[in-house]
Amino acid sequence: MALPVEEWRLYAARRWAELEPVLRERLAAASLHDTLRLGCGLLRPEAVAVLRRLCRRAPAGKEPAAARFYREEGNRLFGRRHYGTAVRLYSQAASHEPPGSPEVSVCFANRSAALFHLRCFEVCLEDIARAESHGYPDRLLPKVLLRKAECLLCLGRLQDAADALSVVENKIAMDGIMTSPTHQALLKKLSQLKIKIHEKESCPEPARETCGDVQRRSEIWEENDSISGASSSLSLNFDIERGRHLVASQDILPGQSLLKEEAFVSVLCPGESRLLQDSSETVWDTRVTNADLYCHRCLRQLLASVPCRGCSYAKYCSQSCADMAWEQYHRTECSLGALLLTLGVFCHVALRTVLLAGFAEVSRLVEWSHDDDKDLHNPEARCKHLSEAPDTRAGTRSIPGCNDNGQYQSSYQAVFNLLPHAEKHSPEHKFLCMLSVVAICKQLQEAGLEAAVLNQESSEKWSKPKTCEKTSGELSPELKTMAEAMLRHVLQLQCNAQAITVMQESGSGDSAVVNKKLVRLATAFFPVLSLLNHSCCPNISVSFSGTAATVRASQAIPSGQEIFHCYEMLCCSNEACAISVSRESLSRRLWDLQQQIKKALELLRDRKADQAIKMLLKCQMDAGNFLSPGHLLMGEMEDHLAQVYATLGKWQEAARHLERSIEIVEMHHGPSSVEMGHELFKLAQILFNGFAVSEALSTIQRAEEILSVHCGPQSTQIQELQEMKTCLSELPRSILQRT
């Protein structure tokens, strides 16, 4: 959710309508600085009360009742051998327990047991160490230490396993004679492990041969002197019509890497919101969202998360990531979790951006912008001035965002100089954004976090937010400066936000065909990537690994041609779809249709494939009454039908529907697009499972050609395609002749 929740948007719209016409006119024409000056006092107590009520629907604090619920659910699922689900539930329980408590240590120990059954031995060992460091009860320790020894044994670390067993033996000896059934079981397990270690030491496993060819060849890469992270095959240009843009300075081949950039800032999108209703009864949600699946700092996929010390929302892949996030920004954000979830990802990105930049740099650039405020209202004048500069390092130095050496770096200065297009936003939208950032800054001030925001207090001194002595409600000059920068960033994000995307499996995981879709994982600022102008016919493709973006040429780009990026994930290019109905009516019908499709997929997950087919076919008929045959949603339904038929093992029917989906994808995204590559990958799986050998081999070749350009030759999908091709080529000649 990029923007604030609907109730807050409606409140802001009402407040805007209630303002005096003169004040509305002044706010509509005001610079960002004057907007904050005029609007700071417009956040009334009633607005604060509205936000507090909305924040109760997005709880982010630690709740002992929630911890008990998730732990008991985890135990129940563990007993039913649903170990993966149990791991997630124990993670949820741990996120609600205070650090260093016996309760959180039990969560880690229980999770280690589930991880052991999943054969995730390294991660299991990490959880055992966490349980010990958080004060796991001494009487329960032998069982956990035996699990540690067994993990080490399974990993082939025999000496470490033997040492761990010695610790267990000493522990048992110190505790005295044990006669209970539980203690006898521990002794039996100890004896069995000692035998296993002896057997492994007597018959060591043969060492695996190493292949000299396994080393991956690194791409030839010559970095640009003027643009950080960019290839030397690009140059930074500027003119009145296009503003800042990148151009090929030499001929570029398909698949060639053009840019490798780490996000300046990124914020995980929480996924499907689980806002609670306004009621006294609390229902804890067991649904899994992005917030449970990915590290909130580096965006790596989570298996066993490390919880934040202060809130239940933020989760990390390691203690190192948790500590770095705390030091850089989360010690300030932590107590604002519910407010940030309520006000949306754009406000969260804006806050984190200024926290990462630091007050000194933010203040310097905000003051500089006051001298340069005329450019917000007359950008053409600035463009004309800049375009007159010669195409030299001196000319590059005058391009906004470049440093004194004429270099464009992935820095806060580059982020700050991205255009907010303040004059193009509606006055109502700017008012909503202004109220939202002022609400965040007032909360920071009231929570006593101003010193941390202004980098005047170290994290070692910070323990809990302190109540602020200031009660006037007026923001300090420093926080007004931060609020102005945040308002600028929220407006910038409308045009410059980059979605960090990831391919996620959808549907049941036991299907013969892995159905994946591209989903938005996070919203980020990539200053260099933002130099690329939008085109519906891009000549590059962007892929992500964690918070890093890699840009590759998706086609041959001759020297002198501009580099274009498509910023829209999904859009219908056929305007005929909306001719006969209003936009509101179309949106409502589309929403209803998507809900029906969602129900059909739920039927598929419940193994009711026949009912799912009937519902999807009905959806197709309904959609045909108001959508064109080439609408992306029509292709999506064909894709879902292919998934259902593949589940039933009806490979020919599945292939027929998927081929229709591919036609629509090609129409919208082009024959060499990454979307086309993903669809061909699915078709290759279906043809492979249906033993349609010749068709499968030709489809594999097409998919390989496309995906190697967009994702690189070492991507997991390319490797899977190569495995399918090898398997098909090794089939007996008699089968190959029949197909």
Side-chain angles (χ1 to χ4, degrees), residues 558-625:
S559 178
Q561 187 176 98
E562 185 175 353
I563 311 300
F564 288 111
H565 176 34
C566 181
Y567 285 91
E568 301 168 26
M569 285 181 64
L570 285 177
C571 66
C572 180
S573 59
N574 190 341
E575 294 181 359
C577 297
I579 285 177
S580 60
V581 292
S582 69
R583 182 175 295 274
E584 291 78 11
S585 174
L586 177 64
S587 297
R588 188 168 57 252
R589 294 177 75 176
L590 278 172
W591 188 86
D592 290 340
L593 181 62
Q594 287 165 337
Q595 295 307 302
Q596 291 301 308
I597 293 171
K598 190 175 179 181
K599 289 180 181 177
L601 296 179
E602 288 172 359
L603 288 170
L604 176 60
R605 282 193 289 272
D606 293 339
R607 303 183 186 277
K608 298 175 181 177
D610 292 337
Q611 294 179 43
I613 290 172
K614 288 180 182 177
M615 183 166 281
L616 285 170
L617 291 174
K618 183 180 182 302
C619 288
Q620 276 189 320
M621 288 183 61
D622 293 342
N625 293 325

Side-chain angles (χ1 to χ4, degrees), residues 204-210:
E205 293 181 3
R208 295 180 180 178
E209 294 183 10
T210 57

Side-chain angles (χ1 to χ4, degrees), residues 159 256 320 349 367 470 578 696:
Q159 185 56 54
Q256 186 174 331
S320 173
V349 172
E367 287 179 19
K470 200 167 189 174

Side-chain angles (χ1 to χ4, degrees), residues 412-685:
Y412 182 64
Q413 180 169 319
V415 171
F416 193 88
N417 276 279
L418 296 173
L419 290 177
H421 295 292
E423 72 285 353
K424 295 182 180 179
H425 293 284
S426 70
E428 295 90 339
H429 180 71
K430 284 195 290 185
F431 183 72
L432 166 68
C433 296
M434 183 274 296
L435 279 185
S436 300
V437 299
V438 168
I440 290 172
C441 289
K442 285 203 172 184
Q443 180 64 29
L444 288 170
Q445 186 166 277
E446 289 170 8
L449 290 167
E450 184 174 354
V453 174
L454 305 182
N455 309 112
Q456 296 170 353
E457 187 176 296
S458 67
S459 60
E460 287 79 8
K461 294 180 181 178
W462 191 96
S463 55
K464 290 185 178 180
K466 299 174 283 295
T467 302
C468 185
E469 295 177 4
K470 200 167 189 174
T471 57
S472 66
E474 177 72 15
L475 283 180
S476 68
E478 293 82 6
L479 281 178
K480 283 182 181 177
T481 297
M482 297 296 268
E484 182 179 335
M486 287 171 62
L487 177 57
R488 182 185 187 92
H489 298 322
V490 172
L491 297 177
Q492 287 172 331
L493 284 162
Q494 297 289 330
C495 295
N496 293 287
Q498 175 62 53
I500 295 179
T501 56
V502 64
M503 293 300 295
Q504 263 185 10
E505 290 186 21
S506 59
S508 58
D510 55 357
S511 173
V513 177
V514 178
N515 190 35
K516 294 187 176 182
K517 63 177 181 179
L518 200 65
V519 298
R520 189 186 193 111
L521 178 59
T523 297
F525 269 134
F526 287 91
V528 180
L529 183 56
S530 291
L531 292 171
L532 303 183
N533 283 325
H534 169 78
S535 171
C536 291
C537 300
N539 50 17
I540 58 98
S541 179
V542 183
S543 59
F544 298 93
S545 176
T547 56
T550 299
V551 176
R552 292 183 175 87
S554 59
Q555 60 192 56
I557 305 174
S559 178
Q561 187 176 98
E562 185 175 353
I563 311 300
F564 288 111
H565 176 34
C566 181
Y567 285 91
E568 301 168 26
M569 285 181 64
L570 285 177
C571 66
C572 180
S573 59
N574 190 341
E575 294 181 359
C577 297
I579 285 177
S580 60
V581 292
S582 69
R583 182 175 295 274
E584 291 78 11
S585 174
L586 177 64
S587 297
R588 188 168 57 252
R589 294 177 75 176
L590 278 172
W591 188 86
D592 290 340
L593 181 62
Q594 287 165 337
Q595 295 307 302
Q596 291 301 308
I597 293 171
K598 190 175 179 181
K599 289 180 181 177
L601 296 179
E602 288 172 359
L603 288 170
L604 176 60
R605 282 193 289 272
D606 293 339
R607 303 183 186 277
K608 298 175 181 177
D610 292 337
Q611 294 179 43
I613 290 172
K614 288 180 182 177
M615 183 166 281
L616 285 170
L617 291 174
K618 183 180 182 302
C619 288
Q620 276 189 320
M621 288 183 61
D622 293 342
N625 293 325
F626 69 101
L627 294 181
S628 71
H631 194 284
L632 274 168
L633 198 56
M634 301 293 278
E636 205 174 298
M637 285 184 281
E638 294 286 2
D639 195 292
H640 293 320
L641 281 165
Q643 183 186 353
V644 181
Y645 281 114
T647 302
L648 296 172
K650 296 182 178 180
W651 306 111
Q652 288 185 343
E653 281 290 301
R656 183 168 60 84
H657 284 286
L658 194 54
E659 283 164 356
R660 290 178 188 167
S661 171
I662 287 171
E663 289 175 7
I664 295 172
V665 168
E666 183 173 3
M667 183 197 314
H668 284 273
H669 300 289
S672 301
S673 64
V674 66
E675 292 84 1
M676 189 69 174
H678 293 315
E679 290 298 301
L680 287 170
F681 176 80
K682 287 190 280 189
L683 180 59
Q685 288 181 305

Side-chain angles (χ1 to χ4, degrees), residues 242-409:
R242 294 175 290 180
R244 291 168 293 188
H245 58 282
L246 295 179
V247 172
S249 57
Q250 61 190 53
D251 291 342
I252 294 170
L253 298 174
Q256 186 174 331
S257 292
L258 303 180
L259 174 65
K260 299 172 183 177
E261 184 181 17
E262 190 74 28
F264 178 82
V265 62
S266 64
V267 170
L268 186 74
C269 298
E272 191 174 334
S273 178
R274 63 173 189 87
L275 293 179
L276 301 175
Q277 297 302 311
D278 295 321
S279 69
S280 57
E281 185 179 354
T282 302
V283 179
W284 304 110
D285 201 335
T286 57
R287 284 179 298 174
V288 178
T289 66
N290 285 344
D292 306 306
L293 295 175
Y294 296 91
C295 176
H296 287 222
R297 180 181 173 273
C298 70
L299 303 183
R300 288 196 184 99
Q301 196 155 8
L302 292 176
L303 179 57
S305 60
V306 175
C308 166
R309 67 181 80 171
C311 70
S312 63
Y313 177 67
K315 302 174 184 71
Y316 303 96
C317 64
S318 64
Q319 191 60 52
S320 173
C321 252
D323 292 342
M324 281 190 279
W326 186 264
E327 181 65 33
Q328 292 173 342
Y329 51 80
H330 192 64
R331 64 187 172 117
T332 305
E333 295 178 356
C334 187
S335 63
L336 274 64
L339 180 62
L340 294 172
L341 287 169
T342 299
L343 294 179
V345 171
F346 279 7
C347 282
H348 197 163
V349 172
L351 173 62
R352 188 170 294 180
T353 301
V354 297
L355 292 175
L356 285 168
F359 177 71
E361 183 69 355
V362 171
S363 178
R364 180 182 74 83
L365 288 169
V366 167
E367 287 179 19
W368 167 83
S369 72
H370 295 167
D371 298 332
D372 212 29
D373 238 1
K374 59 183 181 295
D375 298 327
L376 290 176
H377 300 283
N378 189 14
E380 291 81 4
R382 188 180 192 185
C383 289
K384 183 177 180 182
H385 167 72
L386 290 167
S387 63
E388 290 170 353
D391 188 17
T392 62
R393 177 58 61 87
T396 307
R397 187 161 57 238
S398 63
I399 293 177
C402 290
N403 62 20
D404 292 340
N405 296 320
Q407 295 174 318
Y408 191 93
Q409 297 178 318

